[in-house]
Amino acid sequence: MKVKILRWHAVASWTWDAQDETCGICRMAFDGCCPDCKLPGDDCPLIWGACNHAFHLHCILKWVNSQTPQAHCPMCRREWQFKG
Amino acid sequence: MEAASSVSDLGILDSVDDASITEIMESWDGFCRATEALLNGHGDLSVGSEFVSHVHSLCKRSLGSLVQDHFLRSLEETFERNGATRFWRHFDAYTHVEVMEMSKSPIQENGIQKVLYKALDDVSLEKQYQEKCLLMLVHALQSYKDSISEERHNSDAERIHLFSKYQLIVSSVLMTTLPRHFPEILHCYFKGRLEELSTIMAGEYEDDNESDDKDDMDLDEKNKVSYRGEMDIDECYQRRKFLENNKLVKNIGKVVRDLRNLGFTSMAEDAYASAIFLLLKDKVHNLAGDDYRSSVLESIKEWIQAVPLQFLYALLAYLGDSVSYDNPSSGLKSPLASHPSSCYPGIDTPSEGLIRWQLRLEYFAYETLQDLRIAKLFEIIVDYPDSSPAIEDLKQCLEYTGQHSKLVDSFISALRYRLLTAGASTNDILHQYVSTIKALRTIDPAGVFLEAVGEPIRDYLRGRKDTIKCIVTMLTDGTGGNPNGPGNTGDSLLEELNRDEENQENAGIDDDFNIDEKQDWINAERWEPDPVEADPSKGSRNRRKVDILGMIVGIIGSKDQLVNEYRVMLAEKLLNKSDYDIDSEIRTLELLKIHFGESSMQRCEIMLNDLIDSKRTNSNIKATITQPSQIGSELGETGVSLDILDATIISSNFWPPIQDEALNIPGPVDQLLADYAKRFHKIKTPRKLLWKKNLGTVKLELQFEGRVVQFTVAPLHAAIIMQFQDQTSWTSKNLAASIGVPVDVLNRRINFWISKGILSESLVTDPNDHIFTLVDDMVEPGKNSVNAGSCEELLVCDEEGERSVASVEDQLHKEMIVYEKFIMGMLTNFGSMALDRIHNTLKMFCLADPPYDKSLQQLQSFLSGLVSEEKLEIRDGMYFLKK
Ligand SMILES: [Zn+2]
Ligand SMILES: [Zn+2]
Ligand SMILES: [Zn+2]
């Protein structure tokens, strides 16, 4: 007997490739979404700082905008710079 | 009175002399003889002049009242002998015959009719003769008075007085000698005659409709209905004329009149009234029967107009009175009632008596039909909506009689007896519940009685484990559920409710005008659409309307539980799909959002969105194959390419907990998954994939020598069968180790292949170890060749207990387990606690890690789990530690 696979419909979950589980600003899971968003994933992406800390893009943007003139990383207090 | 006056008469005797006494005695003797001769003379009035002179001479001696008393006493004795005794003797033959038998046998009944006519004729004749004699006495007394007095006396007072005394004598003689069976004989007579009349009238009826198609009963019935209130003057007149001239009516009228003359006024009327009601009852039963699909109320009312009321009209006209006997104001005839020529129910106002009769008959008909329908309400609701005409009839009856409580009591006991039993499936109970709501909201728009009727069903359903699941299925699944159930197949209940609501909204304003025009005109002007976030417990915009969904959610307790269950079922369904087709799920979600609010359905929305995203991502990944990666080209040699692989990629935070079990899937496929994940990471950096290798569906083809069989199975089944390509026999231990699952899981899941006849199982010495062998064509060619070329499908969720997603109960148990220690500690300290106290204490002290946020019901179901694990016990609502 030989078995021929005609179709294999698999199931996977996606996850952000980040060290932490939750966003340091909103405390929500990275695999969830920020409080302003309804859909996770592409619609509410993560962003890394030069210090290698990750946040929801929407969360850090709000944070940066509120910190004038110079914003610092909420986790390590280093000057905030988006990772190039 | 009479005794006193006699004494005073005798007092006169003291003051008269002997000669006078002799004269008086002679006159008295003469009077007594003449009286006797007169009364027993049978028409011989020759003693008349002698009688008159004796009366005169006695009156002269002021013995007038003695004369009257003696004469009346003689009349009484004679009537007892010649009237009453003979009258009753006619009916002796029927003394021991039961009424039922009387009316059953037409010969008996005919006999009764003849005997009654004869008996009434005889006794009336005797009475007429006696009245003639009494009139002679009246004249004698009158002529004496005239002779001694100048002025003319009005004789009427004396005459009326004596005749009413005589009437009283006749009645009381008959009443005191009345045999017990006489009322039954009367009832039987009237019943027979009325039935005869009804048949004649029915014939008349048919003649009236001659122009219509007689063969078509339904059409005929409709024609009858259209007559209501439109019976024109001509027709009415003819029918009345017909009845007035009818011999039967005259005969009945004569019997009634004779009976009245004998003092049986109310007995006669009771008899024909009960006969009419009996006939009406039969008619209602006949018309209504067990047919719930047409309305009968109008036909019944029509019949009341056409038969009993016309009969009563004719009867009352014959008797010369137009007011019925039970009319308290019968002494005061209304000026209108004195026109018996008025045509009922035509242009003139009908007599008060007839209106009372109509009201009595209609009430009785409503009540009879109502009782009939209430007794069969269970069947009627099973037949709903086809049975809506019967429901509509019942509604009208109840509005008239106000006996809604009868409905509630009767229906609840029918439910207990017929539906709420262990044998009935939860689905059947739910569907009957929904039909009940739909049917009864017609009768009871405010839902008051519905509340009472629904309570036992809800209580019963709460005790069933599969209730929530069945409710969710019924609401959201148009294909499954109850294929025999009412309503459009292929339509979920939610879909149906939504359609109803749209229809109501369109027709709503017109409808409301019937209820309260003024108020609803105002409402209509103020009308606003429902807010999107409608709370199902508050019903739609019209608070009076029964909210079906609310009543269904009410069984579960909260919409959250329902939504949770739906989410688990949706997850199960989505994870077992072999494509990305979710059109019907999207439609259902939209409907759920309307009823439960968008925020409640947020997670389900993300789940569906994952499927949409997966489809897009999947085709993006497939598009990268044209630039083959290193691994991709290697795989090409193994014969499986990335083409065969599709993936559903989920946002696991928003899905119910997934049953993640280890599984070694076949090497080539495992490499495909790795390649797929790599390509995903490339497209979606910095996101990556985590495979749930035990989930999904696999379509495969088993190629034997000479035959090919296709299956759609779970990955575990695929992994099992692929092991048999190189090695046709495996022990369960080895096989389990090879595919990386526990032996018990393997032993359970491998049954699928055994049941399909692909593998066979044999026990070796170790009872825990089995040997599974591939069934080759060579071994059993006959059996398996039957399946050749066939394609078998397996829905993974069909397998008992094999689920991709943890059930709601399992999830709850996992979440509650952290509080178990705390609860045990509390009970150690306090000895015993009630449910709500445990609940409140947890709320107070478990504020973090994780905070206690469960409902009372959830706590209760967790605690009953601990009771069944024998960790706790419950007595009188208090929880204790089990010792
Ligand atoms: Zn955030
Ligand atoms: Zn966001
Ligand atoms: Zn940082």
PDB file of all heavy atoms in Angstrom, chain B residues 806-829:
ATOM      1  N   ALA B 806     -10.851  23.221  23.605  1.00  0.00           N
ATOM      2  CA  ALA B 806     -11.349  22.827  24.919  1.00  0.00           C
ATOM      3  C   ALA B 806     -12.782  23.296  25.076  1.00  0.00           C
ATOM      4  O   ALA B 806     -13.136  24.389  24.655  1.00  0.00           O
ATOM      5  CB  ALA B 806     -10.472  23.445  26.011  1.00  0.00           C
ATOM      6  N   SER B 807     -13.632  22.448  25.681  1.00  0.00           N
ATOM      7  CA  SER B 807     -15.023  22.836  25.853  1.00  0.00           C
ATOM      8  C   SER B 807     -15.123  23.927  26.919  1.00  0.00           C
ATOM      9  O   SER B 807     -14.189  24.160  27.686  1.00  0.00           O
ATOM     10  CB  SER B 807     -15.861  21.633  26.269  1.00  0.00           C
ATOM     11  OG  SER B 807     -15.518  21.269  27.584  1.00  0.00           O
ATOM     12  N   VAL B 808     -16.288  24.580  26.939  1.00  0.00           N
ATOM     13  CA  VAL B 808     -16.485  25.670  27.891  1.00  0.00           C
ATOM     14  C   VAL B 808     -16.318  25.178  29.326  1.00  0.00           C
ATOM     15  O   VAL B 808     -15.700  25.835  30.158  1.00  0.00           O
ATOM     16  CB  VAL B 808     -17.874  26.305  27.687  1.00  0.00           C
ATOM     17  CG1 VAL B 808     -18.168  27.295  28.790  1.00  0.00           C
ATOM     18  CG2 VAL B 808     -17.949  26.984  26.337  1.00  0.00           C
ATOM     19  N   GLU B 809     -16.816  23.962  29.604  1.00  0.00           N
ATOM     20  CA  GLU B 809     -16.704  23.423  30.968  1.00  0.00           C
ATOM     21  C   GLU B 809     -15.239  23.198  31.348  1.00  0.00           C
ATOM     22  O   GLU B 809     -14.818  23.520  32.455  1.00  0.00           O
ATOM     23  CB  GLU B 809     -17.450  22.096  31.107  1.00  0.00           C
ATOM     24  CG  GLU B 809     -18.932  22.135  30.780  1.00  0.00           C
ATOM     25  CD  GLU B 809     -19.204  21.755  29.343  1.00  0.00           C
ATOM     26  OE1 GLU B 809     -19.202  20.552  29.048  1.00  0.00           O
ATOM     27  OE2 GLU B 809     -19.378  22.661  28.506  1.00  0.00           O
ATOM     28  N   ASP B 810     -14.511  22.631  30.385  1.00  0.00           N
ATOM     29  CA  ASP B 810     -13.096  22.392  30.666  1.00  0.00           C
ATOM     30  C   ASP B 810     -12.360  23.696  30.945  1.00  0.00           C
ATOM     31  O   ASP B 810     -11.544  23.781  31.865  1.00  0.00           O
ATOM     32  CB  ASP B 810     -12.426  21.685  29.474  1.00  0.00           C
ATOM     33  CG  ASP B 810     -12.939  20.265  29.317  1.00  0.00           C
ATOM     34  OD1 ASP B 810     -13.614  19.795  30.251  1.00  0.00           O
ATOM     35  OD2 ASP B 810     -12.671  19.670  28.259  1.00  0.00           O
ATOM     36  N   GLN B 811     -12.683  24.703  30.138  1.00  0.00           N
ATOM     37  CA  GLN B 811     -12.036  26.007  30.339  1.00  0.00           C
ATOM     38  C   GLN B 811     -12.336  26.557  31.715  1.00  0.00           C
ATOM     39  O   GLN B 811     -11.466  27.024  32.429  1.00  0.00           O
ATOM     40  CB  GLN B 811     -12.560  27.019  29.325  1.00  0.00           C
ATOM     41  CG  GLN B 811     -12.055  26.819  27.928  1.00  0.00           C
ATOM     42  CD  GLN B 811     -12.713  27.830  27.016  1.00  0.00           C
ATOM     43  OE1 GLN B 811     -12.794  29.000  27.341  1.00  0.00           O
ATOM     44  NE2 GLN B 811     -13.188  27.357  25.886  1.00  0.00           N
ATOM     45  N   LEU B 812     -13.634  26.466  32.080  1.00  0.00           N
ATOM     46  CA  LEU B 812     -14.051  26.994  33.377  1.00  0.00           C
ATOM     47  C   LEU B 812     -13.315  26.267  34.486  1.00  0.00           C
ATOM     48  O   LEU B 812     -12.810  26.873  35.423  1.00  0.00           O
ATOM     49  CB  LEU B 812     -15.562  26.827  33.533  1.00  0.00           C
ATOM     50  CG  LEU B 812     -16.097  27.284  34.896  1.00  0.00           C
ATOM     51  CD1 LEU B 812     -15.982  28.789  35.022  1.00  0.00           C
ATOM     52  CD2 LEU B 812     -17.536  26.837  35.092  1.00  0.00           C
ATOM     53  N   HIS B 813     -13.235  24.924  34.346  1.00  0.00           N
ATOM     54  CA  HIS B 813     -12.579  24.142  35.375  1.00  0.00           C
ATOM     55  C   HIS B 813     -11.124  24.590  35.538  1.00  0.00           C
ATOM     56  O   HIS B 813     -10.642  24.772  36.647  1.00  0.00           O
ATOM     57  CB  HIS B 813     -12.652  22.659  35.017  1.00  0.00           C
ATOM     58  CG  HIS B 813     -12.206  21.777  36.123  1.00  0.00           C
ATOM     59  ND1 HIS B 813     -13.019  21.489  37.201  1.00  0.00           N
ATOM     60  CD2 HIS B 813     -11.031  21.147  36.347  1.00  0.00           C
ATOM     61  CE1 HIS B 813     -12.355  20.706  38.036  1.00  0.00           C
ATOM     62  NE2 HIS B 813     -11.148  20.483  37.549  1.00  0.00           N
ATOM     63  N   LYS B 814     -10.460  24.790  34.396  1.00  0.00           N
ATOM     64  CA  LYS B 814      -9.061  25.222  34.456  1.00  0.00           C
ATOM     65  C   LYS B 814      -8.934  26.567  35.156  1.00  0.00           C
ATOM     66  O   LYS B 814      -8.007  26.794  35.920  1.00  0.00           O
ATOM     67  CB  LYS B 814      -8.491  25.321  33.033  1.00  0.00           C
ATOM     68  CG  LYS B 814      -7.782  24.040  32.621  1.00  0.00           C
ATOM     69  CD  LYS B 814      -7.137  24.202  31.255  1.00  0.00           C
ATOM     70  CE  LYS B 814      -6.875  22.843  30.636  1.00  0.00           C
ATOM     71  NZ  LYS B 814      -6.930  22.885  29.174  1.00  0.00           N
ATOM     72  N   GLU B 815      -9.887  27.471  34.846  1.00  0.00           N
ATOM     73  CA  GLU B 815      -9.798  28.801  35.429  1.00  0.00           C
ATOM     74  C   GLU B 815     -10.157  28.812  36.909  1.00  0.00           C
ATOM     75  O   GLU B 815      -9.687  29.641  37.668  1.00  0.00           O
ATOM     76  CB  GLU B 815     -10.740  29.765  34.674  1.00  0.00           C
ATOM     77  CG  GLU B 815     -10.244  30.085  33.277  1.00  0.00           C
ATOM     78  CD  GLU B 815     -11.306  30.766  32.432  1.00  0.00           C
ATOM     79  OE1 GLU B 815     -12.302  31.247  33.002  1.00  0.00           O
ATOM     80  OE2 GLU B 815     -11.135  30.798  31.210  1.00  0.00           O
ATOM     81  N   MET B 816     -10.993  27.879  37.314  1.00  0.00           N
ATOM     82  CA  MET B 816     -11.462  27.886  38.693  1.00  0.00           C
ATOM     83  C   MET B 816     -10.529  27.125  39.627  1.00  0.00           C
ATOM     84  O   MET B 816     -10.559  27.328  40.835  1.00  0.00           O
ATOM     85  CB  MET B 816     -12.863  27.242  38.767  1.00  0.00           C
ATOM     86  CG  MET B 816     -13.986  28.063  38.189  1.00  0.00           C
ATOM     87  SD  MET B 816     -14.349  29.576  39.111  1.00  0.00           S
ATOM     88  CE  MET B 816     -14.977  28.915  40.644  1.00  0.00           C
ATOM     89  N   ILE B 817      -9.725  26.247  39.055  1.00  0.00           N
ATOM     90  CA  ILE B 817      -8.950  25.328  39.880  1.00  0.00           C
ATOM     91  C   ILE B 817      -8.043  26.081  40.870  1.00  0.00           C
ATOM     92  O   ILE B 817      -7.786  25.622  41.966  1.00  0.00           O
ATOM     93  CB  ILE B 817      -8.137  24.350  38.985  1.00  0.00           C
ATOM     94  CG1 ILE B 817      -7.827  23.061  39.759  1.00  0.00           C
ATOM     95  CG2 ILE B 817      -6.883  24.978  38.458  1.00  0.00           C
ATOM     96  CD1 ILE B 817      -8.917  22.026  39.623  1.00  0.00           C
ATOM     97  N   VAL B 818      -7.645  27.332  40.470  1.00  0.00           N
ATOM     98  CA  VAL B 818      -6.752  28.101  41.351  1.00  0.00           C
ATOM     99  C   VAL B 818      -7.469  28.513  42.635  1.00  0.00           C
ATOM    100  O   VAL B 818      -6.830  28.811  43.641  1.00  0.00           O
ATOM    101  CB  VAL B 818      -6.204  29.369  40.656  1.00  0.00           C
ATOM    102  CG1 VAL B 818      -5.339  29.001  39.489  1.00  0.00           C
ATOM    103  CG2 VAL B 818      -7.332  30.289  40.227  1.00  0.00           C
ATOM    104  N   TYR B 819      -8.801  28.521  42.609  1.00  0.00           N
ATOM    105  CA  TYR B 819      -9.525  28.934  43.814  1.00  0.00           C
ATOM    106  C   TYR B 819      -9.856  27.759  44.721  1.00  0.00           C
ATOM    107  O   TYR B 819     -10.383  27.934  45.802  1.00  0.00           O
ATOM    108  CB  TYR B 819     -10.832  29.643  43.435  1.00  0.00           C
ATOM    109  CG  TYR B 819     -10.614  30.799  42.485  1.00  0.00           C
ATOM    110  CD1 TYR B 819     -11.096  30.766  41.199  1.00  0.00           C
ATOM    111  CD2 TYR B 819      -9.881  31.922  42.909  1.00  0.00           C
ATOM    112  CE1 TYR B 819     -10.889  31.813  40.320  1.00  0.00           C
ATOM    113  CE2 TYR B 819      -9.654  32.974  42.036  1.00  0.00           C
ATOM    114  CZ  TYR B 819     -10.158  32.919  40.740  1.00  0.00           C
ATOM    115  OH  TYR B 819      -9.943  33.953  39.888  1.00  0.00           O
ATOM    116  N   GLU B 820      -9.564  26.542  44.228  1.00  0.00           N
ATOM    117  CA  GLU B 820      -9.998  25.376  44.983  1.00  0.00           C
ATOM    118  C   GLU B 820      -9.413  25.384  46.386  1.00  0.00           C
ATOM    119  O   GLU B 820     -10.116  25.209  47.375  1.00  0.00           O
ATOM    120  CB  GLU B 820      -9.607  24.092  44.233  1.00  0.00           C
ATOM    121  CG  GLU B 820     -10.123  22.852  44.937  1.00  0.00           C
ATOM    122  CD  GLU B 820      -9.753  21.559  44.221  1.00  0.00           C
ATOM    123  OE1 GLU B 820      -9.672  21.575  42.975  1.00  0.00           O
ATOM    124  OE2 GLU B 820      -9.536  20.549  44.914  1.00  0.00           O
ATOM    125  N   LYS B 821      -8.102  25.643  46.473  1.00  0.00           N
ATOM    126  CA  LYS B 821      -7.418  25.643  47.768  1.00  0.00           C
ATOM    127  C   LYS B 821      -8.046  26.658  48.702  1.00  0.00           C
ATOM    128  O   LYS B 821      -8.285  26.399  49.880  1.00  0.00           O
ATOM    129  CB  LYS B 821      -5.936  25.995  47.557  1.00  0.00           C
ATOM    130  CG  LYS B 821      -5.004  24.932  48.057  1.00  0.00           C
ATOM    131  CD  LYS B 821      -3.572  25.450  48.036  1.00  0.00           C
ATOM    132  CE  LYS B 821      -2.598  24.322  48.269  1.00  0.00           C
ATOM    133  NZ  LYS B 821      -1.324  24.580  47.590  1.00  0.00           N
ATOM    134  N   PHE B 822      -8.302  27.836  48.143  1.00  0.00           N
ATOM    135  CA  PHE B 822      -8.890  28.922  48.918  1.00  0.00           C
ATOM    136  C   PHE B 822     -10.255  28.509  49.477  1.00  0.00           C
ATOM    137  O   PHE B 822     -10.569  28.741  50.646  1.00  0.00           O
ATOM    138  CB  PHE B 822      -9.028  30.149  48.017  1.00  0.00           C
ATOM    139  CG  PHE B 822      -9.275  31.414  48.767  1.00  0.00           C
ATOM    140  CD1 PHE B 822      -8.216  32.159  49.266  1.00  0.00           C
ATOM    141  CD2 PHE B 822     -10.574  31.863  48.989  1.00  0.00           C
ATOM    142  CE1 PHE B 822      -8.446  33.327  49.969  1.00  0.00           C
ATOM    143  CE2 PHE B 822     -10.811  33.027  49.694  1.00  0.00           C
ATOM    144  CZ  PHE B 822      -9.737  33.763  50.180  1.00  0.00           C
ATOM    145  N   ILE B 823     -11.072  27.864  48.621  1.00  0.00           N
ATOM    146  CA  ILE B 823     -12.402  27.438  49.044  1.00  0.00           C
ATOM    147  C   ILE B 823     -12.298  26.386  50.140  1.00  0.00           C
ATOM    148  O   ILE B 823     -12.991  26.454  51.162  1.00  0.00           O
ATOM    149  CB  ILE B 823     -13.197  26.876  47.836  1.00  0.00           C
ATOM    150  CG1 ILE B 823     -13.480  28.010  46.827  1.00  0.00           C
ATOM    151  CG2 ILE B 823     -14.503  26.249  48.285  1.00  0.00           C
ATOM    152  CD1 ILE B 823     -13.995  27.534  45.485  1.00  0.00           C
ATOM    153  N   MET B 824     -11.390  25.430  49.971  1.00  0.00           N
ATOM    154  CA  MET B 824     -11.217  24.387  50.968  1.00  0.00           C
ATOM    155  C   MET B 824     -10.797  25.010  52.308  1.00  0.00           C
ATOM    156  O   MET B 824     -11.272  24.622  53.366  1.00  0.00           O
ATOM    157  CB  MET B 824     -10.148  23.371  50.521  1.00  0.00           C
ATOM    158  CG  MET B 824     -10.422  22.689  49.190  1.00  0.00           C
ATOM    159  SD  MET B 824     -11.997  21.890  49.056  1.00  0.00           S
ATOM    160  CE  MET B 824     -11.535  20.214  49.376  1.00  0.00           C
ATOM    161  N   GLY B 825      -9.908  26.007  52.218  1.00  0.00           N
ATOM    162  CA  GLY B 825      -9.449  26.686  53.424  1.00  0.00           C
ATOM    163  C   GLY B 825     -10.588  27.392  54.146  1.00  0.00           C
ATOM    164  O   GLY B 825     -10.733  27.289  55.375  1.00  0.00           O
ATOM    165  N   MET B 826     -11.418  28.082  53.382  1.00  0.00           N
ATOM    166  CA  MET B 826     -12.577  28.773  53.956  1.00  0.00           C
ATOM    167  C   MET B 826     -13.469  27.803  54.696  1.00  0.00           C
ATOM    168  O   MET B 826     -13.919  28.060  55.811  1.00  0.00           O
ATOM    169  CB  MET B 826     -13.398  29.414  52.818  1.00  0.00           C
ATOM    170  CG  MET B 826     -12.923  30.767  52.386  1.00  0.00           C
ATOM    171  SD  MET B 826     -14.191  31.610  51.438  1.00  0.00           S
ATOM    172  CE  MET B 826     -14.321  30.619  49.985  1.00  0.00           C
ATOM    173  N   LEU B 827     -13.734  26.667  54.040  1.00  0.00           N
ATOM    174  CA  LEU B 827     -14.660  25.710  54.626  1.00  0.00           C
ATOM    175  C   LEU B 827     -14.054  25.061  55.868  1.00  0.00           C
ATOM    176  O   LEU B 827     -14.766  24.710  56.813  1.00  0.00           O
ATOM    177  CB  LEU B 827     -15.067  24.651  53.599  1.00  0.00           C
ATOM    178  CG  LEU B 827     -15.992  25.183  52.485  1.00  0.00           C
ATOM    179  CD1 LEU B 827     -16.233  24.125  51.431  1.00  0.00           C
ATOM    180  CD2 LEU B 827     -17.317  25.671  53.067  1.00  0.00           C
ATOM    181  N   THR B 828     -12.716  24.915  55.887  1.00  0.00           N
ATOM    182  CA  THR B 828     -12.065  24.391  57.079  1.00  0.00           C
ATOM    183  C   THR B 828     -12.285  25.347  58.259  1.00  0.00           C
ATOM    184  O   THR B 828     -12.572  24.941  59.372  1.00  0.00           O
ATOM    185  CB  THR B 828     -10.551  24.213  56.840  1.00  0.00           C
ATOM    186  OG1 THR B 828     -10.374  23.551  55.594  1.00  0.00           O
ATOM    187  CG2 THR B 828      -9.904  23.400  57.938  1.00  0.00           C
ATOM    188  N   ASN B 829     -12.203  26.651  57.954  1.00  0.00           N
ATOM    189  CA  ASN B 829     -12.356  27.645  59.013  1.00  0.00           C
ATOM    190  C   ASN B 829     -13.796  27.826  59.459  1.00  0.00           C
ATOM    191  O   ASN B 829     -14.082  27.935  60.641  1.00  0.00           O
ATOM    192  CB  ASN B 829     -11.833  29.007  58.540  1.00  0.00           C
ATOM    193  CG  ASN B 829     -10.313  29.026  58.534  1.00  0.00           C
ATOM    194  OD1 ASN B 829      -9.693  28.315  59.329  1.00  0.00           O
ATOM    195  ND2 ASN B 829      -9.729  29.806  57.633  1.00  0.00           N
TER     196      ASN B 829
END
